[in-house]
């Protein structure tokens, strides 16, 4: 019996060894000689399931959703009467009469864009995808217009597609998958997926890991979409056509600015007033020069449920306290000692759906005197409901009183002679 057991163990061991060593030999050179292509996140999840699951909980994964595969992606009833009723309230701002604006039927909607602040809807016309001219603002539960006069002159793939979907191909009018998926930040994954796990170093070198890039280059991956401007490699492109993670963004994209004439999306002080603006703001900040990048505060995929609306590791000002320690409660902090850092240093002066629903990322307090100098430039104080209608001169005067330390009074102390002894 002992001999039989020994033989059986040897047979099992041999079979196991044979199974582990029978992986076919892969021609690495042949694989890497082929053009890189997109494989999709369903391929990535076969090896990176925990990261895939956490990414599925983020806004990136839901930027663009297939409304045919998931009807629940449409977050509000598409009721034409209600929509036209809301549009009619905006009649003085419309370039097309409310009763003439195209309102898609639910069955015409192929994809939804966004759901956190607002939602837009993709439809097809002459086999080309366009954003329909209606927009639902989630926080205020109302419908507003969106390019109602020229919506069908703005092909979605050219104007927006590369930041809403992964693997956008303007020439062929296609994309690999909806949403900001794995390969949007890590680059095309066909080589990486084709190589066996045993080719450890070769496999690693075929994919981009933003965490291992220099901080400036890594931040530009975020900046390729959290930005506003125009493509340099594709006429009419609204996103950096041709850009790949790890490359220099400026070669593919030119950011907007007030100085260049964009008064619609940027204030005179170059702070952004329009959405997808965070990279433009951050570049002007001390965070940028000190090496505090996007992922210093925001996570892209994190194990477990997301803690905050904006994918930060802590909520509100608690995020700031991970690096900044409040060392005093005097001067301006004397009345804001409840530590509302973001209220002053990240004022709500930018617009995604409704005015002031997203925060500035320059991390600078805007004072009442900034508005006094230019009434079109907002200030941090009046973004607070308490001071919304306060007199600017009085606000500035009060701030100066708080921000100026009193001169020391009292008797001067004579110096004490110091003698060094061993």
């Amino acid at each position: 019996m002992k001999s039989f057991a020994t033989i059986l163990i040897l047979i099992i061991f041999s079979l196991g060894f044979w199974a582990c060593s029978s992986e076919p030999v892969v021609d690495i050179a042949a694989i890497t000689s082929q053009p890189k292509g997109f494989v999709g996140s369903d391929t990535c999840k076969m090896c990176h399931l925990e990261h895939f699951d956490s990414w599925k909980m983020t806004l990136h994964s839901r930027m663009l959703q297939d409304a045919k595969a998931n009807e629940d992606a449409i977050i509000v009833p598409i009721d034409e009467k209600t929509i036209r009723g809301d549009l009619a309230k905006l009649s003085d701002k419309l370039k097309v009469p409310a009763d003439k604006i195209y309102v898609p039927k639910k069955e015409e909607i192929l994809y939804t864009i966004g759901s956190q602040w607002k939602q837009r809807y993709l439809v097809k016309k002459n086999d080309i995808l366009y954003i329909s001219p209606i927009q639902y603002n989630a926080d205020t539960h109302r419908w507003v217009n969106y390019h109602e006069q020229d919506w069908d002159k703005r092909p979605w793939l050219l104007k927006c597609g590369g930041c809403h979907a992964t693997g956008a191909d303007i020439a062929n009018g296609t994309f690999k998958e909806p949403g900001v998926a794995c390969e949007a930040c890590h680059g095309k994954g066909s080589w990486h997926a084709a190589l066996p796990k045993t080719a450890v170093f070769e496999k690693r070198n075929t994919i981009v890991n933003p965490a291992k890039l220099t901080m400036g280059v890594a931040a530009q991956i975020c900046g390729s979409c959290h930005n506003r401007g125009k493509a340099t490699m594709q006429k009419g492109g609204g996103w950096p056509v041709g850009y790949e993670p790890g490359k220099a963004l400026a070669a593919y994209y030119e950011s907007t600015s007030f100085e260049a004439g964009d008064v619609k999306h940027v204030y005179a002080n170059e702070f952004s007033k329009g959405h997808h603006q965070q990279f433009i703001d951050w570049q002007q900040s001390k965070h940028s020069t000190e090496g505090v990048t996007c992922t210093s505060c925001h996570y892209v995929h994190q194990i477990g449920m997301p803690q905050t609306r904006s994918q930060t590791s802590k909520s509100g000002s608690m995020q700031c306290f991970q690096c900044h320690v409040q060392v005093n409660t005097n001067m301006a902090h004397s009345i804001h000692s409840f530590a509302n850092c973001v209220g002053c240093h990240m004022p709500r002066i930018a617009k995604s759906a409704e005015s002031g629903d997203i925060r500035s990322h320059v991390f600078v307090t805007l004072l009442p005197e900034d508005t006094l100098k230019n009434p079109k430039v907002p200030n941090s104080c009046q973004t607070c409901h308490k001071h919304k209608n306060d007199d600017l001169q009085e606000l500035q005067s009060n701030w100066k009183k708080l921000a100026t330390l009193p001169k020391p009074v009292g008797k001067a102390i004579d110096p004490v002679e110091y003698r060094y002894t061993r």
Side-chain angles (χ1 to χ4, degrees), residues 275-293:
H275 64 296
H276 50 84
Q277 90 301 358
Q278 294 86 352
F279 186 73
I280 300 173
D281 282 356
W282 170 80
Q283 284 184 306
Q284 303 174 62
S285 72
K286 285 292 184 182
H287 278 174
S288 174
T289 56
E290 295 299 327
V292 180
T293 66

Side-chain angles (χ1 to χ4, degrees), residues 5 19 71 79 109 118 159 196 211 236 244 303-304 315 317 376 389:
E71 288 190 3
D79 180 69
I109 297 172
K118 62 196 176 194
K159 294 295 182 181
E244 294 183 357
I303 305 304
S315 61
S317 298
K376 293 184 178 180
N389 298 312

